[in-house]
Amino acid sequence: MLPLAALIALAAAALCWRRQRRAAAWRAGLLARCAAEIEAPRLGRDRAGFATLRGRYQGAAVDVRLIPDTLVHRRLPQLWLQLTLRLPLAEAATLDILRRPAGAEFYTPDDLPARWPVPASWPADTLVRGTRNAGDLLARAEPALAPILADPTVKEVLLTREGLRLTVQASEGARGAYLLLRGSHFALAQVPPERFRPLLYEGLRLARSLAATPVETRHARAA
């Protein structure tokens, strides 16, 4: 017969193990319902166990990952969904558009030398950075990006020669768990397809508007 203290320790260890397994299964399954939205989907996991998704969408390579952001200065923890579409753009420039910058967005590029004025059609709380040759790219992207940046869940749009990346809020941490224990609990079972599908559409629309020549754009609209 084990001592009471040993039994309590075993029960606590078993409870911790079950919680860890549930948490691991949750992280790994977050993108399961989104796989059907793209062609040749490949589900995986990153180093932290969060789901990843790769495939193709109407000719563009797709890469999806999730980023937990638990920086203590934030009001509540955030879970970001990051969608990358690899479709070469016309300009050999880089432009990073960041909403509500806090100065600690570790997932954004930190080597962009130029800061650009915020276009009048974009929210005022936007930081625009890029390479010094990004003026033409900014001018072309301004009208197409205005409706995207109007969505308060959009955090970042990154445009590069290889394509674009959209970072949006997937979930916000539960207030109770954060205020009491500084823990991160997201009330999200899985990313719903109806949330993921518009990101694919808007991302591809933006990429094509920046990549296509005028003739190709007219042909695409006619089709």
Side-chain angles (χ1 to χ4, degrees):
M1 182 71 176
L2 290 174
L4 179 59
L7 290 173
I8 293 174
L10 285 174
L15 178 61
C16 181
W17 179 75
R18 287 195 294 271
R19 286 178 175 173
Q20 289 177 345
R21 287 200 63 182
R22 286 197 297 268
W26 171 77
R27 291 192 296 267
L30 280 167
L31 296 174
R33 294 177 60 198
C34 298
E37 301 298 321
I38 62 176
E39 304 159 18
R42 302 188 305 279
L43 285 164
R45 284 181 285 183
D46 64 15
R47 293 179 181 177
F50 279 90
T52 62
L53 176 61
R54 292 182 177 179
R56 300 193 68 82
Y57 180 69
Q58 297 188 23
V62 175
D63 192 338
V64 187
R65 69 187 191 113
L66 293 154
I67 304 172
D69 184 355
T70 57
L71 297 177
V72 295
H73 75 275
R74 292 193 181 278
R75 182 170 58 88
L76 288 173
Q78 302 293 322
L79 183 66
W80 304 113
L81 186 150
Q82 202 168 73
L83 166 67
T84 300
L85 290 169
R86 292 183 175 85
L87 189 68
L89 306 187
E91 281 85 6
T94 297
L95 195 65
D96 185 58
I97 301 101
L98 182 65
R99 291 292 319 278
R100 303 170 301 277
E105 285 83 6
F106 57 89
Y107 43 84
T108 63
D110 57 2
D111 57 349
L112 297 175
R115 183 164 175 171
W116 296 86
V118 181
S121 62
W122 294 1
D125 61 346
T126 302
L127 176 64
V128 185
R129 299 175 301 145
T131 51
R132 292 188 175 90
N133 64 338
D136 289 342
L137 179 57
L138 176 58
R140 293 185 63 200
E142 177 184 353
L145 269 174
I148 294 176
L149 295 176
D151 181 349
T153 67
V154 172
K155 180 62 176 176
E156 181 201 30
V157 182
L158 176 66
L159 307 174
T160 73
R161 184 68 180 88
E162 289 74 32
L164 64 84
R165 186 179 75 192
L166 299 176
T167 303
V168 303
Q169 183 191 62
S171 184
E172 186 171 70
R175 180 178 295 275
Y178 183 67
L179 294 180
L180 292 176
L181 304 172
R182 284 298 185 261
S184 301
H185 176 73
F186 298 103
L188 176 72
Q190 291 181 329
V191 176
E194 54 269 22
R195 170 63 171 150
F196 181 60
R197 196 178 302 123
L199 293 177
L200 283 171
Y201 174 81
E202 291 297 332
L204 187 64
R205 181 184 63 83
L206 175 60
R208 284 179 171 170
S209 73
L210 298 174
T213 65
V215 173
E216 289 170 336
T217 303
R218 287 196 299 268
H219 176 73
R221 288 175 179 171

